[in-house]
């Protein structure tokens, strides 16, 4: 009987566009971390991966096309723990991204849509074994915003919505993070149109509006608690 091995090294994915071999003497590095929920309970069967990033490229954008190749993939065990074995890149690779529950990672385990995504960007690898902070995956949520036309109100409307992105990104060791997104708009949405935003539970979105009428502008910021899987908010104008 064959025993299933949960961690695989995918060498065939690595730098298919490169003419040179970016692997330093076929050596290995590893990342140890634990994936938990907001109640500090372990989350099993979460796909994880390590990907290489060349100099001068940033991964701090919602989609991550800048990853050059997959160095290794794995899955969290019943205790939520992962020992991710990765190929060690050469000196042309300035940073490594560790992706947890990301659809960009080419992992053997499908994306768990019940949870968000966490990306750790490591600017340097000092030791062969790197212990990362516990990864807290928040529950996914959907924020639906509707702007309702009210005939009794006059003026022009502009607004900005700032909400926690489903993808949380952290830089190690500095700890910088970029986890919010902002969209801007103006006027009334088309009939029956609703803004649908992918976000995270137990967070807060901000709806900032500006109404200009007869040369006078009224503005305010409204907090929208995101405390369940689907949150609906209607703004009357």
């Amino acid at each position: 009987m064959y025993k299933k091995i949960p961690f695989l090294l995918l060498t065939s994915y690595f730098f298919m566009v490169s003419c040179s071999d970016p692997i330093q003497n076929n050596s290995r590095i590893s990342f140890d971390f634990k994936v938990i929920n907001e109640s500090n309970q372990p989350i099993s069967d979460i796909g994880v991966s390590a990907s290489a990033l060349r100099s001068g490229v940033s991964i701090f954008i919602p989609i991550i096309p800048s990853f050059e190749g997959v160095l290794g993939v794995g899955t969290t065990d019943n205790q939520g723990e992962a020992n991710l074995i990765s190929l060690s890149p050469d000196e042309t690779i300035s940073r490594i991204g560790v992706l947890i529950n990301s659809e960009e990672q080419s992992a053997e385990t499908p994306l768990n849509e019940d949870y968000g995504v966490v990306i750790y960007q490591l600017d340097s690898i000092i030791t062969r074994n790197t212990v990362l902070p516990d990864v807290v995956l928040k529950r996914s949520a959907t924020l639906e915003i509707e702007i309702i036309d009210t005939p009794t109100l006059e003026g022009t409307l502009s607004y900005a919505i700032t909400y926690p992105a489903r993808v949380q990104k952290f830089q190690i060791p500095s700890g910088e993070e970029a986890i919010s997104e902002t969209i801007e708009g103006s006027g009334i949405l088309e009939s029956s149109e609703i803004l649908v935003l992918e976000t995270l539970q137990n967070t807060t979105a901000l709806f900032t509006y500006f109404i200009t009428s007869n040369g006078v502008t009224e503005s305010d910021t409204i907090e929208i608690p995101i405390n369940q899987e689907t949150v609906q908010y209607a703004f009357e104008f």
Side-chain angles (χ1 to χ4, degrees), residues 9 23-29 85-89 128:
L9 295 176
I23 303 169
Q24 186 99 11
N25 299 322
N26 198 29
S27 59
R28 302 289 188 271
I29 54 178
I85 307 298
S86 166
L87 298 173
S88 180
R128 288 293 176 187

Side-chain angles (χ1 to χ4, degrees), residues 39 56 104 107 156 173 211 213:
S39 300
E104 304 288 339
T156 59
I211 299 176
S213 179

